[in-house]
Structures are given as C-alpha cells and as structure tokens.
Amino acid sequence: MQSSTVVPTTYSRTNPFQAKVLKNVNLNGAGSNKETRHLELSLKGSDLSYVPGDCLGIIPENDPELVASLLEEMKWDAELSVSVNKQGDTLPLKEALARHFEITLLTKKIIQQAAELSENEELQKLVSDENLNQLKEYIDGRDLLDLLRDFGPWKASAQEIVSLLRKMPPRLYSIASSITANPEEVHLTIGAVRYTAHGRKRKGVCSVLCAERLQEGDTLPVFIQQNKHFNLPESPDKDIIMVGPGTGIAPFRSFIQERAVNAASGRSWLFFGDQHSASDFLYQNELEKYQKDGVLTRLEVAFSRDSAEKVYVQHKMLENSKELFEWLNNGAYFYVCGDKQYMAKDVHNALINVIEKEGSMTREAAEAYLNDMQEQGRYQRDVY
C-alpha cells in the first residue's frame, strides 16, 4: 500500500492565511485627532515566518455602507450573479462589491470605459483628449459612487459596470513585532484614514475595517511580503539609528524587540514624533522600559503640537547633530519609516545638513557621503 503524503499548504498573496485577531486596541489617548490601532494576529498553524523589516499583506473588504449605497443608487439586485474574472467565476453582486472589487478609487481607464455606457455630455467632455487635466482632477479623492451619481442615467447592466473595476489589491503594512519575541504572532500599527472630500466622508478601506469592524476572534486574510531593502544589520554589534514618527514606529518596534531577544551589543537610537505627547506617544511604556533596560540607548521625541513652534523629528536630528555624525562615522545604520511626501524628504535633507556641518564638508561631499552609505546598505528607507 502506498502511503499518502500530505502536501503542506503554502500561504501566499493568492492563497492567504486566515489569521485570528488576538488583540485590537486604540493606541491613542483621549483628545487625540488620530486613531492608531495596535493589532495582534495569530499565525498558528500557518508555518508563516518573517524577519524584522518585512510587511504583512491584508486582503480587506469594502465598507458595507458604501456597498449598500451603490446598490441603492443603481437599484441593483444584491443577489444578482455576476462574473468576477476572465475564468467566468461568479459571485452574488453584493459579495463581489464587498470582497472582490476596488470601489474606492477611480482610474483614467475606468472613466473612459464608463463614458461608453452613458450619454451624459459632461462625461463625454471630461474624457475628451483636451480635458486630461480636468479628468485627473476629477479622479482625485472620488470613488465609484461619485462617478455613478455624477453622470447617470446609465444604460448599463450591473455586469457591465463591475467589468470596468479592478480587483481589490492587498494592503501592505510594516510588521511591528519580532517573531522571535512573539512566536506564531504578527503585530501591526495601523493609522485609521478618515477625511472629507467632495462633500462626502471617506474612509481608508483596510485601516477603517481594522478600526471599526474587526473584533477579537475574527479572522483576516493575510500573507507575508518580504522587504529585502529594509533589514537589521547582519552583525548585532552595529549601531542603528531609527527615525519613525507616527505609524512609522512599526518596523522599529520589531527591530528593538529582535535586538532585545538576541541581546545585541550594538547601540540603538530612536527618533519618534507625533502631535501630542499626552495622547499620541505610541508604545510609550514599552519604549521607556527598553530605554531603562538599556536595549534602547537613546530616545528622542518630537511632539509638534505641544509647543508654539512646531517641532518635528528632523529638528531633533539637527539638535543632536554632533552625536549623530559620530554614530554615522562609527558605521551606524540609518533607517527612516513613514510618510514619503514630507517627512522622508525633510529627514533626508536634515541628514545631509548634519553630515555637511559636522563633517566640515561641502554640500556635494555630504551628498556623496550619504550615497556611499546607501550603497553599503547603511541608509535604508521604508516610506509610503
């Protein structure tokens, strides 16, 4: 008799693991303008593993209220069966809109194809070649519901409309834990995205799912995404400098946990910032304990709304420029995580200023110094 071998399941982007929610808490205190969720998920039975710096992919579901508004706007039958891919797989319309399609973002292509399903003159004008800038402007901050409301009546079936849509893309988050310190678990730090645009309240698909609808005991479809360009130094005796304001703290929590477990001899220096110290100092107790225990050598914080002058992490870098340059010259690794649009640029410029000033170099020489660091893998960024 042949023995049947059980092939282990490999969980991936196309076959995510259903991770059970162990903990879901708001890290911000009373009076904060923000809501940052700390999420702990179980990886038990998944065989999934990760290293500090990696990301967790989540395949989210759309807001049921938004789905209901779409069905109502178009007078669609929620149970109508629609095809969701080229293979002809079908789902009830309500489920397809909730789980399969991206309905909160528009693209040029979607609007151009939608124009063929409507006789609305304004829409025809919007997609004409000479109005490319107006089209870009329209897309910004609007979603499928806006499009359907703004340019009806539609002579299209539900199937024709959903065929325009893109598949729901996974959302990637920097992992905020070390698997060595938390076996079979993965932690995340997620800032809930909420804003008003074009007269409607908008919500981040995945962040608000985590903030409003995800309870302990629920499951979330996840996979591990490696991040080969954002890792701890191979040698634990190297010094590390970490700049992670707001949710940018996430991967550094994993770095610090990992180095605590491995009793790394290298020094570590964290720059953290947010709005108010009283309500927005994420992981304050943990970080202060790490500092007390000597795992975290230095902790610099910048709370922008606690003083008349706004103070950010880059200001704290400049204040400590002498020590910062000594660490860099001594071979320290420098990491930045968080907002790409402003913070990462400001930190990059502050870093060049520090090198220029403390190294008594020209601007060009300071930039070359930083480029060398980058080539050696000593200047790493995880920005979004």
Side-chain angles (χ1 to χ4, degrees):
M1 252 176 78
Q2 283 183 313
S3 66
S4 64
T5 50
V6 178
V7 181
T9 310
T10 329
Y11 293 104
S12 64
R13 184 182 279 254
T14 46
N15 179 34
F17 174 70
Q18 293 291 337
K20 190 174 168 187
V21 180
L22 303 172
K23 196 172 178 183
N24 183 359
V25 294
N26 182 8
L27 294 173
N28 297 94
S32 175
N33 299 322
K34 301 183 173 189
E35 182 180 356
T36 312
R37 306 305 295 196
H38 170 75
L39 217 56
E40 300 187 0
L41 304 171
S42 169
L43 294 177
K44 221 181 172 125
S46 71
D47 263 351
L48 288 173
S49 189
Y50 57 87
V51 297
D54 283 348
C55 295
L56 188 76
I58 298 179
I59 297 162
E61 286 188 18
N62 284 309
D63 185 349
E65 284 177 20
L66 184 57
V67 172
S69 299
L70 280 167
L71 293 171
E72 194 184 329
E73 176 66 30
M74 299 302 284
K75 309 280 182 278
W76 281 335
D77 171 6
E79 296 310 311
L80 178 78
S81 182
V82 289
S83 162
V84 294
N85 54 25
K86 290 190 174 73
Q87 290 77 36
D89 296 328
T90 62
L91 281 174
L93 179 58
K94 185 178 172 180
E95 198 183 326
L97 290 171
R99 291 187 24 229
H100 194 81
F101 292 112
E102 180 171 71
I103 59 175
T104 54
L105 284 178
L106 294 172
T107 63
K108 195 171 107 182
K109 189 178 170 193
I110 289 173
I111 297 182
Q112 285 167 336
Q113 291 178 330
E116 293 165 24
L117 305 174
S118 164
E119 284 165 0
N120 185 299
E121 284 175 19
E122 271 182 75
L123 182 55
Q124 306 308 326
K125 211 162 80 185
L126 191 61
V127 297
S128 62
D129 293 344
E130 65 270 21
N131 285 334
L132 199 60
N133 287 340
Q134 278 95 316
L135 181 59
K136 273 189 187 144
E137 221 168 281
Y138 179 80
I139 288 169
D140 189 35
R142 286 189 174 90
D143 63 12
L144 180 64
L145 182 58
D146 294 308
L147 178 70
L148 296 177
R149 276 184 181 165
D150 292 346
F151 302 115
W154 299 88
K155 24 176 237 279
S157 64
Q159 181 67 65
E160 285 173 303
I161 299 277
V162 296
S163 297
L164 307 176
L165 302 176
R166 298 192 299 184
K167 192 173 184 288
M168 169 81 82
R171 305 311 202 256
L172 295 175
Y173 293 98
S174 307
I175 292 174
S177 55
S178 147
I179 203 162
T180 329
N182 306 273
E184 299 192 313
E185 283 185 18
V186 62
H187 302 175
L188 300 174
T189 313
I190 299 179
V193 176
R194 299 185 181 93
Y195 58 97
T196 300
H198 312 294
R200 274 181 48 215
K201 287 197 167 94
R202 317 280 165 162
K203 297 175 175 184
V205 175
C206 192
S207 67
V208 176
L209 159 71
C210 295
E212 293 179 5
R213 307 196 302 278
L214 196 66
Q215 308 297 321
E216 287 170 19
D218 289 349
T219 60
L220 207 51
V222 302
F223 60 92
I224 302 289
Q225 175 85 32
Q226 283 183 312
N227 186 357
K228 293 194 166 65
H229 307 289
F230 200 79
N231 301 110
L232 277 167
E234 275 172 32
S235 160
D237 58 8
K238 296 284 184 205
D239 294 340
I240 58 173
I241 301 163
M242 304 163 280
V243 180
T247 54
I249 185 71
F252 302 133
R253 184 176 182 262
S254 91
F255 280 20
I256 296 163
Q257 282 186 355
E258 182 83 359
R259 292 190 98 177
V261 173
N262 298 333
S265 56
R267 297 176 299 169
S268 58
W269 188 349
L270 174 68
F271 289 85
F272 174 75
D274 214 316
Q275 293 186 347
H276 298 283
S277 168
S279 58
D280 305 317
F281 194 161
L282 309 181
Y283 302 116
Q284 179 175 6
N285 296 346
E286 281 180 34
L287 293 172
E288 287 174 349
K289 187 177 185 308
Y290 281 128
Q291 194 181 11
K292 205 173 111 234
D293 297 347
V295 174
L296 192 54
T297 317
R298 296 188 62 164
L299 175 61
E300 291 294 332
V301 291
F303 293 101
S304 60
R305 308 276 172 94
D306 283 353
S307 51
E309 289 280 305
K310 286 192 176 173
V311 182
Y312 296 112
V313 282
Q314 65 270 21
H315 300 131
K316 289 289 172 187
M317 286 168 57
L318 298 172
E319 270 175 40
N320 292 278
S321 65
K322 192 171 182 298
E323 297 89 333
L324 201 55
F325 185 69
E326 278 170 8
W327 280 51
L328 295 178
N329 237 4
N330 198 31
Y333 281 58
F334 190 94
Y335 300 89
V336 186
C337 179
D339 167 62
K340 177 161 79 178
Q341 205 178 351
Y342 305 108
M343 184 277 298
K345 287 177 188 158
D346 293 338
V347 165
H348 182 82
N349 289 329
L351 198 50
I352 295 171
N353 290 340
V354 165
I355 297 165
E356 183 181 9
K357 180 187 163 196
E358 302 300 340
S360 310
M361 301 179 199
T362 62
R363 190 79 184 169
E364 290 72 28
E367 284 168 359
Y369 184 101
L370 194 52
N371 285 341
D372 283 348
M373 278 182 59
Q374 207 155 6
E375 275 165 26
Q376 297 161 19
R378 285 179 45 225
Y379 176 36
Q380 300 182 25
R381 288 151 48 110
D382 178 9
V383 296
Y384 39 83

